[in-house]
């Protein structure tokens, strides 16, 4: 589906002012201005990535009460159970809490639900399982904020609960011993964007300080927290929370700590991903290499292995787990490709995507573990909020759906408007999950599209590609990249700058890469040449002619470190025939 390009306007005088006051290059000043970071104090705060910028953990709503409950539980020798989640954020959160309590001498274990059999969040069945294992104090990570009934059920089993979460909550909070959440009502914590692992890291930090009895930690505890911030960085990137404020600090310092302070499992995952020799790690390395390998375990029903590789201290066990997760990830990719192809066929057969405000599709054969990834690809491909629903062909369970947003639609708000048609739903504005009676899917599709239209308006939804600036290929140099690096780490709400080059030729015929789903090009403009790649853009091949015509390309510049040779290349986002074609 074609996108309308919009070159973002900037105030030249404001850019010059930022350039002078912050001592940055014009390109960095322009990007800061376009992102609304213009006041000197905000510019300094954004560019200054010192660890001291993290707020004291005790300021996180509910955290002091949680520390008191947990430290008392440790002192009393209570059996503590971490109740986690099966995605990457949940795995890293579980690992952070488990390793922290182990270091503090607690009697601790963990429970991670099975995505395929248990579903998301705290369940009575899960509480039954951990009660049989002797749990007395349950600490949820990355889940639990909506588990009002489950907390009451836990009490009947003789278990206390501490909730730590970051997801949106309903009108009633659980009656737990303590709740830690950045957006807890009647609190004024300034940043609500922490993920589950970010919340767990803050709690870990506070627990370590309480154990030591001082804000100043001894070297072994400081090094331990460096390893925890590395895990928190993985969860932060993988959960696609805003890479702003405290999250930027967590990811920046976590990337710096991953090699030096990580355990054998994470180090081996980095080796498998070819990251062990990289001069520097970036957020994309987590998003495209580490995160998918961990998520593969959860998507295919074996999330406990993801937690185990992050917590094990045996190099031999780390290698065995890492090799297995690598195979799971390859299997996940194969399943995902098949479902994505099937989903596109279903859309073509049943809908006109250009006239639909949202896409809601379902099938009996779609694997529960990968429908979230496919929903994201559908949303990106068609520029529409998308929901992919897996229906149990035997009818033994409700249908399960994964939702991904597009066009600025708040998914959680749209789902709230359809709650009468759903059994259960949860998540946030950009991603969510649901369960539904299969007989309600058609009615839900109609209602969901209605609520999406309420947000975006009744006119035709035209996807828009906002471009930060036009650039020449000759400007894409290592010095330019070093300047843009000041804006990193990149991610949600702080994306890598999107640029465009116009009047570009192909210096040689385009080629596909990998399994044919990617494309590689050599671009030429005014006697300058550069390599460009389009991940997931293999279908461009039939529309790009190397022999004739000029094109405009929208791209994100990156540094390729292949074989130790550093060079700039372009990651392509979109293209169109150039208006200047002659």
């Amino acid at each position: 589906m074609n996108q309308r390009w919009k070159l973002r306007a900037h105030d030249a005088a404001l850019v010059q002012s930022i350039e002078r006051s912050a001592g940055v290059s014009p390109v960095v000043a322009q990007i800061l201005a376009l992102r609304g970071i213009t006041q000197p104090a905000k510019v300094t705060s954004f560019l200054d990535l010192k660890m001291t910028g993290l707020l004291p953990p005790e300021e996180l709503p509910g955290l002091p009460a949680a520390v008191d409950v947990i430290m008392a539980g440790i002192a009393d020798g209570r059996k503590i159970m971490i109740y986690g989640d099966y995605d990457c954020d949940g795995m890293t959160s579980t690992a952070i809490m488990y390793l922290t309590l182990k270091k503090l001498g607690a009697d601790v274990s963990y429970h991670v639900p099975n995505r395929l059999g248990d579903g998301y969040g705290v369940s009575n069945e899960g509480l039954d399982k951990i009660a049989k294992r002797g749990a007395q104090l349950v600490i949820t990570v990355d889940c639990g904020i909506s588990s009002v009934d489950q907390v009451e059920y836990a009490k009947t089993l003789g278990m206390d609960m501490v909730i730590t979460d970051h997801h949106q909550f309903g009108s009633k909070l659980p009656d737990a011993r303590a709740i830690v959440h950045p957006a807890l009502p009647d609190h004024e914590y300034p940043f609500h964007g922490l993920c589950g692992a970010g919340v767990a890291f803050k709690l870990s930090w506070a627990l370590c300080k309480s154990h030591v009895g001082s804000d100043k930690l001894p070297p072994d505890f400081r090094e331990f927290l460096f390893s925890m911030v590395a895990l928190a960085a993985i969860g932060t990137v993988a959960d696609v929370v805003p890479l702003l404020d405290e999250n930027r600090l967590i990811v920046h310092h976590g990337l710096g700590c991953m090699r030096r302070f990580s355990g054998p499992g994470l180090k081996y995952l980095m080796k498998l991903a070819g990251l062990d020799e990289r001069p520097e790690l970036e957020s994309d390395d987590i998003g495209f290499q580490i995160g998918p390998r961990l998520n593969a375990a959860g998507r295919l029903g074996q999330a406990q292995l993801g937690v185990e590789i992050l917590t094990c201290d045996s190099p031999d066990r780390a290698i065995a787990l890492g090799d297995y997760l690598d195979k799971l990830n390859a299997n996940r990719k194969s399943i995902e490709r098949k479902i994505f192809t099937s989903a596109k066929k279903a859309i073509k057969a049943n809908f006109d995507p250009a006239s639909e405000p949202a896409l809601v599709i379902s099938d009996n054969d779609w694997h529960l573990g990968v429908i979230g990834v496919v929903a994201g690809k559908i949303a990106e491909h068609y520029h529409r909020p998308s929901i992919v629903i897996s229906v149990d062909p035997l009818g033994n369970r409700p249908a399960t759906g994964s939702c991904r947003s597009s066009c600025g639609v708040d998914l959680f708000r749209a789902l709230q408007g359809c709650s009468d048609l759903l059994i259960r739903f949860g998540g946030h504005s950009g991603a969510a999950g649901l369960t539904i009676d299969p007989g309600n899917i058609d009615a839900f599709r109609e209602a969901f599209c209605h609520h999406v239209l309420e947000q975006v308006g009744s006119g035709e939804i035209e996807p828009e590609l906002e471009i930060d600036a036009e650039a020449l290929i000759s400007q894409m140099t290592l010095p330019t990249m070093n300047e843009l690096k000041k804006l990193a780490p990149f991610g949600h709400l702080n994306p890598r700058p999107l640029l465009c080059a116009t009047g570009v030729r192909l210096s040689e015929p385009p080629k596909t890469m990998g399994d044919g789903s990617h494309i590689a090009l050599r671009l030429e403009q005014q006697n300058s040449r550069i390599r460009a790649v389009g991940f997931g853009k293999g279908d461009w091949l039939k529309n790009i002619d190397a022999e004739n015509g000029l094109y405009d390309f929208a791209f994100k510049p990156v540094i390729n470190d292949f074989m130790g040779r550093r060079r700039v290349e372009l990651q392509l986002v979109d293209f169109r025939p150039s208006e200047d074609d002659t």
Side-chain angles (χ1 to χ4, degrees):
M1 189 177 296
N2 294 328
Q3 300 182 75
R4 180 168 65 88
W5 290 19
K6 178 183 177 182
L7 191 61
R8 302 178 68 187
H10 65 276
D11 184 329
L14 181 59
V15 170
Q16 291 178 355
S17 174
I18 296 172
E19 183 183 348
R20 289 193 300 269
S21 63
V24 296
S25 68
V27 64
V28 171
Q30 181 172 332
I31 301 298
L32 289 170
L34 289 172
R35 297 184 182 178
I37 305 170
T38 57
Q39 298 177 357
K42 289 187 176 180
V43 172
T44 300
S45 175
F46 186 86
L47 297 176
D48 186 357
L49 292 171
K50 293 180 180 177
M51 197 74 168
T52 51
L54 285 174
L55 294 172
E58 295 79 13
E59 294 186 19
L60 191 64
L63 189 141
V67 170
D68 290 343
V69 173
I70 295 169
M71 293 303 293
I74 296 174
D76 293 342
R78 302 185 79 190
K79 174 70 175 179
I80 301 175
M81 185 71 65
I82 312 301
Y83 199 119
D85 188 29
Y86 45 66
D87 69 359
C88 193
D89 188 21
M91 292 180 212
T92 50
S93 302
T94 302
I96 289 169
M97 267 298 96
Y98 174 75
L99 290 170
T100 300
L101 295 185
K102 287 286 285 185
K103 186 168 181 64
L104 302 188
D107 180 4
V108 61
S109 188
Y110 59 83
H111 168 77
V112 185
N114 184 306
R115 179 191 290 263
L116 307 182
D118 301 326
Y120 169 75
V122 181
S123 68
N124 288 354
E125 294 78 12
L127 293 172
D128 285 334
K129 290 177 182 178
I130 63 177
K132 290 177 180 178
R133 294 169 63 184
Q136 297 169 295
L137 174 61
V138 181
I139 305 172
T140 73
V141 289
D142 194 36
C143 63
I145 196 63
S146 60
S147 302
V148 176
D149 294 339
Q150 288 75 22
V151 169
E152 296 305 312
Y153 183 69
K155 293 177 184 178
T156 69
L157 299 176
M159 298 186 295
D160 292 326
M161 291 188 71
V162 171
I163 304 293
T164 78
D165 202 353
H166 72 113
H167 293 98
Q168 289 184 262
F169 42 79
S171 58
K172 185 177 180 182
L173 293 174
D175 184 25
R177 291 288 305 278
I179 299 177
V180 185
H181 192 293
L184 211 59
D186 302 321
H187 291 76
E188 296 183 354
Y189 195 70
F191 182 61
H192 292 178
L194 291 171
C195 69
V199 173
F201 168 71
K202 286 293 192 84
L203 181 54
S204 170
W205 183 6
L207 288 168
C208 289
K209 291 202 297 182
S210 178
H211 177 82
V212 171
S214 171
D215 286 348
K216 186 174 182 180
L217 298 175
D220 64 318
F221 274 86
R222 288 203 304 271
E223 291 189 4
F224 173 76
L225 285 178
F226 288 151
S227 67
M228 295 302 97
V229 79
L231 295 179
I234 295 171
T236 299
V237 173
D239 212 45
V240 200
V241 290
L243 265 190
L244 302 170
D245 205 283
E246 290 192 289
N247 286 342
R248 293 189 74 235
L249 296 173
I250 288 172
V251 174
H252 173 78
H253 290 282
L255 288 168
C257 291
M258 280 177 66
R259 282 205 190 92
R260 183 176 176 187
F261 298 104
S262 296
L266 181 51
K267 285 182 178 177
Y268 188 64
L269 284 180
M270 287 189 283
K271 182 177 181 179
L272 284 172
L275 303 177
D276 53 330
E277 300 298 329
R278 291 280 299 275
E280 288 183 324
L281 297 178
E282 297 184 351
S283 54
D284 283 352
D285 296 322
I286 294 175
F288 295 111
Q289 300 293 342
I290 301 298
R293 284 173 166 81
L294 291 171
N295 266 326
R299 294 190 184 284
L300 301 184
Q302 301 183 64
Q304 75 280 358
L305 298 183
V307 178
E308 186 181 353
I309 195 170
L310 296 175
T311 57
C312 74
D313 54 13
S314 164
D316 290 340
R317 180 61 177 162
I319 290 172
L321 286 168
D323 289 341
Y324 184 66
L325 292 183
D326 211 39
K327 292 177 182 177
L328 280 183
N329 191 43
N331 188 28
R332 185 270 307 170
K333 289 180 181 179
S334 176
I335 296 170
E336 177 191 310
R337 283 193 296 269
K338 292 177 182 176
I339 296 178
F340 183 49
T341 300
S342 174
K344 287 195 294 183
K345 288 180 179 178
I347 291 170
K348 185 177 181 180
N350 296 287
F351 305 104
D352 175 11
S355 64
E356 296 287 337
L359 294 170
V360 180
I361 53 177
S362 62
D363 195 272
N364 292 341
D365 297 325
W366 291 343
H367 194 291
L368 275 175
V370 301
I371 55 175
V373 181
V374 174
K377 289 192 170 186
I378 293 294
E380 180 182 0
H381 186 79
Y382 293 102
H383 309 290
R384 294 288 186 275
S386 299
I387 301 179
V388 178
I389 300 175
S390 174
V391 179
D392 181 5
L394 300 179
N396 294 328
R397 60 167 175 79
T400 301
S402 282
C403 323
R404 296 296 183 269
S405 185
S406 182
C407 303
V409 170
D410 184 332
L411 284 177
F412 192 83
R413 181 153 64 95
L415 290 173
Q416 280 181 315
C418 313
S419 58
D420 59 319
L421 294 167
L422 300 173
I423 297 172
R424 190 178 181 188
F425 73 95
H428 46 79
S429 61
L434 60 86
T435 54
I436 184 173
D437 186 312
N440 286 339
I441 291 176
D442 289 340
F444 167 70
R445 179 185 295 109
E446 183 176 347
F448 182 74
C449 288
H450 169 75
H451 287 288
V452 168
L453 280 175
E454 284 187 340
Q455 293 188 39
V456 301
S458 58
E460 182 180 350
I461 301 176
E462 184 179 13
E464 189 172 75
L465 191 64
E466 287 199 337
I467 296 172
D468 293 311
E470 183 173 351
L472 297 173
I473 283 177
S474 60
Q475 295 174 315
M476 297 298 100
T477 62
L478 290 174
T480 299
M481 295 302 298
N482 289 334
E483 283 296 316
L484 292 177
K485 183 180 170 184
K486 295 178 180 178
L487 303 169
F490 299 115
H492 181 50
L493 298 188
N494 183 42
R496 193 179 294 275
L498 179 61
L499 310 176
C500 72
T502 60
V504 177
R505 295 185 184 278
L506 273 64
S507 62
E508 59 186 50
K511 301 174 183 178
T512 58
M513 301 189 302
D515 60 358
S517 60
H518 314 303
I519 193 170
L521 307 174
R522 291 289 298 180
L523 306 183
E524 180 178 354
Q525 182 192 51
Q526 299 179 5
N527 298 321
S528 294
R529 294 185 178 184
I530 195 167
R531 184 176 186 264
V533 295
F535 294 108
K537 311 294 186 185
D539 57 349
W540 285 8
L541 192 65
K542 60 181 180 292
N543 296 317
I544 296 182
D545 187 351
E547 297 296 327
N548 302 296
L550 299 176
Y551 297 95
D552 303 338
F553 287 95
F555 62 88
K556 296 179 179 182
V558 299
I559 293 179
N560 186 321
D561 283 310
F562 183 68
M563 300 292 289
R565 179 189 173 196
R566 290 169 59 82
R567 61 182 182 184
V568 182
E569 70 177 26
L570 311 183
Q571 287 186 355
L572 300 177
V573 174
D574 199 12
F575 83 98
R576 65 186 183 186
S578 177
E579 295 179 357
D580 298 329
D581 198 353
T582 56

